[in-house]
Amino acid sequence: MNSLTRRLTLPFVAFVVAGSLALVLWFGAEEKRQSREQFAAIARTNAAFIYAQNLPNSERTAQALGEVLGVSVHFLDPQNSWLPNVDGWSKSSADEYHALPAGGGVFMLNESYEAAAARISKGRSLLLVRPVEHLSDFLFRPRTLGVLAAFWALSLGLAWSLARGIVLPLRRFAARLPHIADENSEPLPEASRTDEIGQLARAYDSTRAKLADERRAREQAERLATLGKMTTGLAHEINNPVSAIKLHTQLLEGEIADMHGERLSIILAETAKIESLVSQWMFLARPQPPQLSPCDLADLISASVKTLAPAAAHANVKIVNQLVPGLLVNGDRRRLAQAFDNIIINAIHAMSARGGELRIECRATNDGGRKHIVSFTDTGAGFSTAAIARGTELFFSEKEGGMGIGLSVTSEIVRAHGGELRLTNAASGGAEVSLYLPAVN
Ligand code: ADP
């Protein structure tokens, strides 16, 4: 038996034993009291009968009545108040008798006999004598046994609910606790309880959630560290040839723009994509604090839309701008442009199969304009539940060939600006990405 069960069992058993004893004694005493009352009542009824029938104080009457009642019967009258023929009658019995109330009652004749006296008429009384009944004679009467059975049933119920309500949940906690940091550990069902066990379960659940957050953050940090090492090496290797390609393409533009202008623009656009990718890697690997200056959100977004217009047109995506000019944030232009590009590119990808519409809005929040909100709402299939929860985690991707970097970089950029990125689905079903950025007023 483990120690909590032992700790609860011993006092519980003591409680049941003491309770049973108290019940037996109390009910026994009660039965005895009732028996004495009945004895007194029999004496009273018979005294009234003798009076009504005007029966004499004769030996015959006493004998006949004694046979019916199963006790010995005597009469007391002023002439014979000592009643020398009653066995065990003594001076102290006489004192007890005289101390009775006028109507009579029960008193001890001696150690072995008790008597019930009842007044027949003035100075004349009836005396019924029977052997003394002891408490032990009343202990295990049917009523007492019934009450005892009910008490034990209640005690068993209490023990069962204690075990179910306290011991079992604690055992469950003890079994789950070593696995609290496991990825698929589950919340405890007791968390909905309002008592101390519920508090314990909620503390367990919040610790479990914190550990899960910490684990995710640590994994993210580990991934970043790996990426950092890879990127620093790769960036150097890639940036040099890309810069050379860009430079030579720009030189060629001057010479053969008439014949191959379109192809050269494609080469330049593709090198820009490589540069952007490398820049994102670098940002994740070694995030630099943003270079802040006041920027007009509408200007920045319009520039991103303009750059990505060809890609949008190619995917049959219509971009609808609902931009309010003059909403200023303290931002790093290059980084914010990167964030907007990532979101627009994702929206174009999400609608590339059937085309659609991307609505971009920016406005001030209702709290006196302390933040500006930029929201991008598309008409694609919307975020999956996993993407809403984990879309900003590095390397989280549900796209074929996706790297899971775009939203992670975007959210880091927004965070570095003191803002917040929210992923939801619009009522129409498409994805909605909102950026909350501190405003400059
Ligand atoms: P990647 O595009 O390489 O997958 P991101 O970090 O940009 O990486 O996006 C992560 C995931 O978020 C995507 O794989 C996709 O599941 C989801 N996602 C992002 N934008 C959208 C969108 N506009 N509509 C639906 N899902 C999206």
Side-chain angles (χ1 to χ4, degrees), residues 346-347 350 378 382-383 387 391 396-399 402-408 431:
N346 274 344
D378 64 47
F383 285 109
F396 174 86
S397 176
E398 295 174 318
K399 258 182 238 169
M403 292 187 66
I405 286 182
L407 284 183
S408 182

PDB file of all heavy atoms in Angstrom, residues 346-347 350 378 382-383 387 391 396-399 402-408 431, ligand 1:
ATOM      1  N   ASN A 346       3.446  34.666 -51.632  1.00  0.00           N
ATOM      2  CA  ASN A 346       2.661  33.529 -51.108  1.00  0.00           C
ATOM      3  C   ASN A 346       1.235  33.563 -51.626  1.00  0.00           C
ATOM      4  O   ASN A 346       0.666  32.529 -51.989  1.00  0.00           O
ATOM      5  CB  ASN A 346       2.620  33.572 -49.580  1.00  0.00           C
ATOM      6  CG  ASN A 346       3.824  32.892 -48.957  1.00  0.00           C
ATOM      7  OD1 ASN A 346       4.524  32.137 -49.635  1.00  0.00           O
ATOM      8  ND2 ASN A 346       4.076  33.164 -47.693  1.00  0.00           N
ATOM      9  N   ALA A 347       0.641  34.775 -51.648  1.00  0.00           N
ATOM     10  CA  ALA A 347      -0.753  34.894 -52.109  1.00  0.00           C
ATOM     11  C   ALA A 347      -0.850  34.506 -53.580  1.00  0.00           C
ATOM     12  O   ALA A 347      -1.775  33.803 -53.992  1.00  0.00           O
ATOM     13  CB  ALA A 347      -1.250  36.323 -51.885  1.00  0.00           C
ATOM     14  N   ALA A 350      -0.699  30.857 -53.813  1.00  0.00           N
ATOM     15  CA  ALA A 350      -1.929  30.217 -53.325  1.00  0.00           C
ATOM     16  C   ALA A 350      -3.048  30.270 -54.358  1.00  0.00           C
ATOM     17  O   ALA A 350      -3.970  29.456 -54.320  1.00  0.00           O
ATOM     18  CB  ALA A 350      -2.381  30.881 -52.025  1.00  0.00           C
ATOM     19  N   ASP A 378      -6.463  37.167 -49.641  1.00  0.00           N
ATOM     20  CA  ASP A 378      -6.555  36.586 -50.996  1.00  0.00           C
ATOM     21  C   ASP A 378      -7.791  35.702 -51.114  1.00  0.00           C
ATOM     22  O   ASP A 378      -8.534  35.513 -50.144  1.00  0.00           O
ATOM     23  CB  ASP A 378      -5.260  35.833 -51.359  1.00  0.00           C
ATOM     24  CG  ASP A 378      -4.993  34.638 -50.472  1.00  0.00           C
ATOM     25  OD1 ASP A 378      -5.927  33.857 -50.249  1.00  0.00           O
ATOM     26  OD2 ASP A 378      -3.831  34.481 -50.001  1.00  0.00           O
ATOM     27  N   GLY A 382      -6.996  29.400 -48.503  1.00  0.00           N
ATOM     28  CA  GLY A 382      -6.849  29.784 -47.086  1.00  0.00           C
ATOM     29  C   GLY A 382      -5.758  28.965 -46.413  1.00  0.00           C
ATOM     30  O   GLY A 382      -5.248  27.988 -46.975  1.00  0.00           O
ATOM     31  N   PHE A 383      -5.423  29.389 -45.189  1.00  0.00           N
ATOM     32  CA  PHE A 383      -4.401  28.665 -44.416  1.00  0.00           C
ATOM     33  C   PHE A 383      -4.969  27.355 -43.896  1.00  0.00           C
ATOM     34  O   PHE A 383      -6.138  27.315 -43.489  1.00  0.00           O
ATOM     35  CB  PHE A 383      -3.975  29.493 -43.199  1.00  0.00           C
ATOM     36  CG  PHE A 383      -3.074  30.644 -43.521  1.00  0.00           C
ATOM     37  CD1 PHE A 383      -3.546  31.949 -43.430  1.00  0.00           C
ATOM     38  CD2 PHE A 383      -1.760  30.435 -43.899  1.00  0.00           C
ATOM     39  CE1 PHE A 383      -2.716  33.009 -43.715  1.00  0.00           C
ATOM     40  CE2 PHE A 383      -0.928  31.495 -44.187  1.00  0.00           C
ATOM     41  CZ  PHE A 383      -1.405  32.785 -44.103  1.00  0.00           C
ATOM     42  N   ALA A 387      -0.953  25.514 -40.704  1.00  0.00           N
ATOM     43  CA  ALA A 387      -0.241  26.718 -41.142  1.00  0.00           C
ATOM     44  C   ALA A 387      -0.601  27.913 -40.256  1.00  0.00           C
ATOM     45  O   ALA A 387       0.260  28.750 -39.962  1.00  0.00           O
ATOM     46  CB  ALA A 387      -0.574  27.024 -42.600  1.00  0.00           C
ATOM     47  N   GLY A 391       2.734  28.527 -39.187  1.00  0.00           N
ATOM     48  CA  GLY A 391       3.188  29.115 -40.449  1.00  0.00           C
ATOM     49  C   GLY A 391       4.451  29.958 -40.327  1.00  0.00           C
ATOM     50  O   GLY A 391       5.253  30.037 -41.264  1.00  0.00           O
ATOM     51  N   PHE A 396       8.792  25.592 -41.843  1.00  0.00           N
ATOM     52  CA  PHE A 396       7.449  25.013 -41.950  1.00  0.00           C
ATOM     53  C   PHE A 396       6.917  25.308 -43.346  1.00  0.00           C
ATOM     54  O   PHE A 396       6.779  26.469 -43.734  1.00  0.00           O
ATOM     55  CB  PHE A 396       6.484  25.593 -40.905  1.00  0.00           C
ATOM     56  CG  PHE A 396       5.068  25.100 -41.126  1.00  0.00           C
ATOM     57  CD1 PHE A 396       4.642  23.899 -40.580  1.00  0.00           C
ATOM     58  CD2 PHE A 396       4.178  25.805 -41.944  1.00  0.00           C
ATOM     59  CE1 PHE A 396       3.362  23.414 -40.820  1.00  0.00           C
ATOM     60  CE2 PHE A 396       2.902  25.324 -42.190  1.00  0.00           C
ATOM     61  CZ  PHE A 396       2.494  24.133 -41.620  1.00  0.00           C
ATOM     62  N   SER A 397       6.665  24.274 -44.116  1.00  0.00           N
ATOM     63  CA  SER A 397       6.145  24.487 -45.467  1.00  0.00           C
ATOM     64  C   SER A 397       5.227  23.347 -45.847  1.00  0.00           C
ATOM     65  O   SER A 397       5.484  22.196 -45.515  1.00  0.00           O
ATOM     66  CB  SER A 397       7.296  24.561 -46.466  1.00  0.00           C
ATOM     67  OG  SER A 397       6.752  24.674 -47.768  1.00  0.00           O
ATOM     68  N   GLU A 398       4.129  23.702 -46.489  1.00  0.00           N
ATOM     69  CA  GLU A 398       3.233  22.663 -46.997  1.00  0.00           C
ATOM     70  C   GLU A 398       3.242  22.668 -48.525  1.00  0.00           C
ATOM     71  O   GLU A 398       2.460  21.982 -49.145  1.00  0.00           O
ATOM     72  CB  GLU A 398       1.807  22.929 -46.499  1.00  0.00           C
ATOM     73  CG  GLU A 398       1.672  22.805 -44.991  1.00  0.00           C
ATOM     74  CD  GLU A 398       0.293  23.207 -44.501  1.00  0.00           C
ATOM     75  OE1 GLU A 398      -0.240  24.219 -44.995  1.00  0.00           O
ATOM     76  OE2 GLU A 398      -0.237  22.524 -43.621  1.00  0.00           O
ATOM     77  N   LYS A 399       4.137  23.491 -49.064  1.00  0.00           N
ATOM     78  CA  LYS A 399       4.176  23.621 -50.522  1.00  0.00           C
ATOM     79  C   LYS A 399       5.197  22.667 -51.101  1.00  0.00           C
ATOM     80  O   LYS A 399       6.256  22.465 -50.492  1.00  0.00           O
ATOM     81  CB  LYS A 399       4.637  25.051 -50.862  1.00  0.00           C
ATOM     82  CG  LYS A 399       3.533  25.953 -51.275  1.00  0.00           C
ATOM     83  CD  LYS A 399       4.128  27.282 -51.631  1.00  0.00           C
ATOM     84  CE  LYS A 399       3.516  28.369 -50.788  1.00  0.00           C
ATOM     85  NZ  LYS A 399       4.215  29.624 -50.901  1.00  0.00           N
ATOM     86  N   GLY A 402       8.619  24.055 -51.364  1.00  0.00           N
ATOM     87  CA  GLY A 402       8.712  25.236 -50.483  1.00  0.00           C
ATOM     88  C   GLY A 402       9.822  25.050 -49.456  1.00  0.00           C
ATOM     89  O   GLY A 402      10.139  23.921 -49.083  1.00  0.00           O
ATOM     90  N   MET A 403      10.425  26.184 -49.034  1.00  0.00           N
ATOM     91  CA  MET A 403      11.497  26.073 -48.033  1.00  0.00           C
ATOM     92  C   MET A 403      11.026  26.452 -46.634  1.00  0.00           C
ATOM     93  O   MET A 403      11.730  26.241 -45.654  1.00  0.00           O
ATOM     94  CB  MET A 403      12.663  26.980 -48.432  1.00  0.00           C
ATOM     95  CG  MET A 403      13.352  26.484 -49.689  1.00  0.00           C
ATOM     96  SD  MET A 403      14.825  27.441 -50.006  1.00  0.00           S
ATOM     97  CE  MET A 403      15.833  27.000 -48.632  1.00  0.00           C
ATOM     98  N   GLY A 404       9.856  27.087 -46.553  1.00  0.00           N
ATOM     99  CA  GLY A 404       9.348  27.480 -45.231  1.00  0.00           C
ATOM    100  C   GLY A 404      10.177  28.587 -44.618  1.00  0.00           C
ATOM    101  O   GLY A 404      10.439  28.581 -43.410  1.00  0.00           O
ATOM    102  N   ILE A 405      10.590  29.555 -45.449  1.00  0.00           N
ATOM    103  CA  ILE A 405      11.413  30.653 -44.936  1.00  0.00           C
ATOM    104  C   ILE A 405      10.629  31.966 -44.946  1.00  0.00           C
ATOM    105  O   ILE A 405      10.756  32.783 -44.039  1.00  0.00           O
ATOM    106  CB  ILE A 405      12.686  30.788 -45.789  1.00  0.00           C
ATOM    107  CG1 ILE A 405      13.634  29.636 -45.451  1.00  0.00           C
ATOM    108  CG2 ILE A 405      13.395  32.117 -45.538  1.00  0.00           C
ATOM    109  CD1 ILE A 405      14.946  29.695 -46.186  1.00  0.00           C
ATOM    110  N   GLY A 406       9.768  32.144 -45.970  1.00  0.00           N
ATOM    111  CA  GLY A 406       9.127  33.437 -46.217  1.00  0.00           C
ATOM    112  C   GLY A 406       8.405  34.018 -45.008  1.00  0.00           C
ATOM    113  O   GLY A 406       8.715  35.128 -44.565  1.00  0.00           O
ATOM    114  N   LEU A 407       7.447  33.254 -44.443  1.00  0.00           N
ATOM    115  CA  LEU A 407       6.667  33.810 -43.327  1.00  0.00           C
ATOM    116  C   LEU A 407       7.523  33.935 -42.072  1.00  0.00           C
ATOM    117  O   LEU A 407       7.307  34.833 -41.253  1.00  0.00           O
ATOM    118  CB  LEU A 407       5.446  32.941 -43.040  1.00  0.00           C
ATOM    119  CG  LEU A 407       4.284  33.093 -44.022  1.00  0.00           C
ATOM    120  CD1 LEU A 407       3.103  32.244 -43.593  1.00  0.00           C
ATOM    121  CD2 LEU A 407       3.859  34.553 -44.143  1.00  0.00           C
ATOM    122  N   SER A 408       8.519  33.037 -41.944  1.00  0.00           N
ATOM    123  CA  SER A 408       9.402  33.124 -40.785  1.00  0.00           C
ATOM    124  C   SER A 408      10.194  34.445 -40.826  1.00  0.00           C
ATOM    125  O   SER A 408      10.251  35.183 -39.840  1.00  0.00           O
ATOM    126  CB  SER A 408      10.334  31.929 -40.808  1.00  0.00           C
ATOM    127  OG  SER A 408      11.161  31.952 -39.705  1.00  0.00           O
ATOM    128  N   ALA A 431      -6.838  33.271 -47.386  1.00  0.00           N
ATOM    129  CA  ALA A 431      -5.902  33.597 -46.304  1.00  0.00           C
ATOM    130  C   ALA A 431      -5.875  35.111 -46.057  1.00  0.00           C
ATOM    131  O   ALA A 431      -6.032  35.899 -46.983  1.00  0.00           O
ATOM    132  CB  ALA A 431      -4.513  33.115 -46.669  1.00  0.00           C
TER     133      ALA A 431
HETATM  134  P1  ADP B   1       6.878  28.417 -48.276  1.00  0.00           P
HETATM  135  O1  ADP B   1       6.155  29.405 -49.125  1.00  0.00           O
HETATM  136  O2  ADP B   1       8.254  28.118 -48.739  1.00  0.00           O
HETATM  137  O3  ADP B   1       6.079  27.189 -47.998  1.00  0.00           O
HETATM  138  P2  ADP B   1       6.325  30.298 -46.168  1.00  0.00           P
HETATM  139  O4  ADP B   1       6.978  30.473 -44.845  1.00  0.00           O
HETATM  140  O5  ADP B   1       6.232  31.483 -47.015  1.00  0.00           O
HETATM  141  O6  ADP B   1       7.092  29.098 -46.851  1.00  0.00           O
HETATM  142  O7  ADP B   1       4.869  29.731 -45.956  1.00  0.00           O
HETATM  143  C1  ADP B   1       4.657  28.673 -45.044  1.00  0.00           C
HETATM  144  C2  ADP B   1       3.341  27.975 -45.323  1.00  0.00           C
HETATM  145  O8  ADP B   1       2.248  28.857 -45.029  1.00  0.00           O
HETATM  146  C3  ADP B   1       3.123  27.620 -46.781  1.00  0.00           C
HETATM  147  O9  ADP B   1       3.725  26.379 -47.112  1.00  0.00           O
HETATM  148  C4  ADP B   1       1.601  27.518 -46.843  1.00  0.00           C
HETATM  149  O10 ADP B   1       1.163  26.283 -46.344  1.00  0.00           O
HETATM  150  C5  ADP B   1       1.161  28.581 -45.875  1.00  0.00           C
HETATM  151  N1  ADP B   1       0.783  29.813 -46.583  1.00  0.00           N
HETATM  152  C6  ADP B   1       1.503  30.949 -46.676  1.00  0.00           C
HETATM  153  N2  ADP B   1       0.803  31.880 -47.357  1.00  0.00           N
HETATM  154  C7  ADP B   1      -0.390  31.323 -47.690  1.00  0.00           C
HETATM  155  C8  ADP B   1      -1.564  31.794 -48.393  1.00  0.00           C
HETATM  156  N3  ADP B   1      -1.633  33.036 -48.921  1.00  0.00           N
HETATM  157  N4  ADP B   1      -2.594  30.933 -48.528  1.00  0.00           N
HETATM  158  C9  ADP B   1      -2.546  29.700 -47.993  1.00  0.00           C
HETATM  159  N5  ADP B   1      -1.489  29.205 -47.329  1.00  0.00           N
HETATM  160  C10 ADP B   1      -0.412  30.013 -47.176  1.00  0.00           C
END
